[in-house]
Structures are given as structure tokens and as C-alpha cells.
Amino acid sequence: MSESASPSNSGLGSYLRLLRSPGAGALAFWGMVGRFPIAMRSIGCLMLISAVTGSLGDAGTVAAAMLISQGVAAPFLGRLADRHSQRKVLLTTCLGHAVGMTLLLVSIGLELPLWAMVAAAVVTGCTSVSFTGFMRARWAAFVDQSALRTAYAMESMLDDTIFLLGPLLVTVLSSSVYPAGGLVACAILTVTGSIFVALHRRSEPTSVQRAITVPGVWVLMIAYAGMGFLFGAVDVTMIAFAQERSAPGLGGVLLALIAVGSLVAGAVYGAVNWRVPQVRLLAVTTCVLTLSAVPLAFADSLPVMAVLAVVAGVAVSPALIAGSTLLESVAPKGALSEAFSWLNSCGALGIASGTAVGGQLADLATSAHAAWAGAAGGLVALVLSLVGQSVLRRGALAAQPAPEMATAEQ
């Protein structure tokens, strides 16, 4: 752990103390730059391909290929980072990503067959590391345990900010500047962020063993899949609800309100020095997350849904922060890049599944049915957080250094 990064985790001033630590501000900034494209790639792909070919179906196929390949490749890239260092993986993949994005832009611009665009999208996705996971692994290596929740809370707030601003940025670039502008910006941001984070030696995690073999990691992976399913279904709920009220443009506003609720709650949650075990915090936050999805099924007007959207976002960041903090305590310290990559991939798989199921239910019935599907996904996460408490406790104890080792480290 870096001795220079050990601020207290009490009060809103903890964020300022964290960022004042040498190197912390640069790590946070470049980490945000590197993962900004997470909220931009799919939209940029959809907008460019549909503008060039006129086919939204082809655009969706290419975007899906990119996301699926990224979800499959991310854990393996995380494992490589744990074995050979994040620096090597980030520098290598950002070059491969630039090549893949260039191939994608060329294939779209030349209107090559769909298979060529899909192949380029797969290359792009396979060279996209789980930047969110890499950053959390770096904070775990950079700050003391007392400041870790604050660091994870700040990461969650940055994620919320990215998902508020990213879609707006890519839409403006693609529609007002140049159709390919959104994807070009994604490539530049990914390469730039990857290089500067890779050169941040002070936060480079150490390397040892595998994370996928740890039972506690599996518990959190399945819980994250359940939470992701809820997120995907709730997103569909908001869009379908706005369409049912003949105001499709307000669907994005409702989604933004969820992000606002999450952003505010994450800031408060991360600033409080909770004297409650992390396993209990995970159970409480997933319970609130699940319950907050239920009222969405009973909303009868846009103003009511707007209020409920903020409420639905209140437990999002706290649940993710609790999960991240627990993962840091149960996973091998030298395998956090892999562990966080697995967590993010499971969450992404859950979001994709929740979006698909929620979309089918909204088409066949109403937005209320999509909301109920989201609550079901949250229930899975809640059950795992309750049933897996003993596994997570044992994992946290097993991951702690032996007393003589702790004494030697001090």
C-alpha cells in the first residue's frame, strides 16, 4: 500500500483528502478518460452504421458483437494483467484497439459486407479491457484500507457521470460534427487513457494467483449478474413507459434521473465510515435495490415515474460499492484485475439478459411487466448476498495476511 494515500474515510472531505494524495488526482482523471468510451461505443456504432447503411438491424448486430466479445475477453485480459502486469496489457491492448477501431471505421465507410463489420467489431471488443475493473484493482493497491471505500465510491460517481455525459457527447459528435466522430473520439480516449494509466507506476498492482477459483468471487459474480439483470430491465421499463405515454424523448430523461439518484447516494455512502460488516451492507443495499424496482410497476404518470426513477437509483452505487469492497477483501490480492473483470463481465451479461427479457415483456404486455422482471433479478442478487454471507466471511478471513506477515509488513 502507498503510504502517501491513506486519507480518513469519514465525511465528504474524504474525497478531497483522497485526491490530494500524490498521484491520486492523475489516476482518477486518466482512469475516467480511459473508460469514457464505455458509455459511447455502442451508441456511436449504432449512429454511424445506421447513417451509412440505413439499417438499424445491421447496426445492432455489429454493436452486439462488440459488446459480447468484450465481455468474453475482459476476464482473460484481467488474468493476463495479474500475471504480466497491467502496464503491459494496457499498452498492448490499446494498440490493438486502435487497429480494430480503424478496421471498423474503414469497413463501415466502404460499406463492406456485414460479416466484415462484425469481424472488425470483434477485434475492437477483444482489445477492450475492463477499465472499471483495472481501476478498482489499482485503487486497492494505491490506498490504505481505510480509504478504499471512498476510492470505490468516487469510481462509482465517475461511472455515473460518464453514463450521464457519454451518450450526450457521442450523439453531438456523430450528429453535429461528423458521423464517424463518435467512434473516433472513443478510439482517442481509450488509447490516451490506457497509456497514461499504464505509466502510473505508483498504483501498479502486484501479481500472484487466480481469482476464479475463490468461492466468494463466484458469489459476487452471480450477485452482480442479478443486479445487472435488474439494471437492464429497469432501463427498458423507463423507455417503454415513456413510449406508452407518447413521450419517447423523455425515456432518456428518466434514465438520467436514475443516474442522478445513484450519483448522490454514492457520494454520501462513500463518505460515511460505516461500522457495519461489508457482507451486511451488501445484503441491505441489494434489498433496497430490489424493493426500489417494485414501485416502478405501479407508476401511472410521468411525474410520478420521474420521482420513482430517482428513488430507483438510490441503491445502485451503494450496492456496487459494497460489492467492490467485498471483492477486494475475498479475492487474492494479486488477482484483483481478473476478479473485477469477471465481476464486470457478469454484470454486463446480466444487463444484456435483463434488457432482452424486459424488452420482450414490454412488447408483449406493458412496461410494468419489465419492472417486475427487474425486481426478480434484484431478488437473485439479494438471495446470493444472504445465502453467501458465510462464504464471503470465510473468504475475507482467508484473504487476510497472517499475523506475523502483517507485523513484518508494518
Side-chain angles (χ1 to χ4, degrees), residues 9 11-16 18-19 28 31-32 35-36 39 132 136 139 147-166 256 258-272 313-314 316-322 324:
N9 190 35
L12 292 175
S14 58
Y15 294 106
L16 294 176
L18 175 65
L19 291 174
M32 184 176 182
R35 68 179 183 275
F36 228 102
T132 299
R136 281 165 171 75
W139 283 113
L148 194 55
R149 190 188 296 116
T150 299
Y152 287 161
M154 183 179 67
E155 286 292 300
S156 291
M157 287 189 291
L158 292 177
D159 285 341
D160 289 332
T161 303
I162 286 168
F163 280 96
L164 276 173
L165 301 181
I258 294 177
V260 169
S262 176
L263 180 63
V264 174
V268 175
Y269 180 90
V272 175
V314 165
V316 173
S317 279
L320 296 177
I321 296 167
S324 295

Side-chain angles (χ1 to χ4, degrees), residues 217-283:
V217 174
W218 276 98
V219 170
L220 291 172
M221 284 166 56
I222 300 173
Y224 261 55
M227 284 191 272
F229 190 97
L230 182 147
F231 299 152
V234 167
D235 285 352
V236 172
T237 299
M238 296 303 171
I239 294 171
F241 185 88
Q243 291 176 344
E244 290 167 0
R245 268 65 186 175
S246 300
L250 292 180
V253 176
L254 294 175
L255 294 176
L257 289 174
I258 294 177
V260 169
S262 176
L263 180 63
V264 174
V268 175
Y269 180 90
V272 175
N273 187 15
W274 300 96
R275 301 185 183 279
V276 180
Q278 286 299 317
V279 289
R280 191 174 302 169
L281 284 173
L282 179 64

Side-chain angles (χ1 to χ4, degrees), residues 305-342:
M305 182 60 93
V307 174
L308 294 178
V310 177
V311 174
V314 165
V316 173
S317 279
L320 296 177
I321 296 167
S324 295
T325 307
L326 264 175
L327 183 70
E328 189 276 335
S329 67
V330 302
K333 294 298 177 278
L336 285 176
S337 298
E338 178 199 357
F340 278 114
S341 295
W342 278 114

Side-chain angles (χ1 to χ4, degrees), residues 1 42 58 112 142 172 183 280 292 343 388:
M1 295 287 180
S42 294
D58 286 353
L112 297 181
F142 184 63
V172 170
L183 288 182
R280 191 174 302 169
S292 67
L343 221 61

Side-chain angles (χ1 to χ4, degrees), residues 58-78:
D58 286 353
T61 300
V62 175
M66 185 190 301
L67 290 173
I68 292 171
S69 58
Q70 180 178 341
V72 172
F76 298 99
L77 293 175

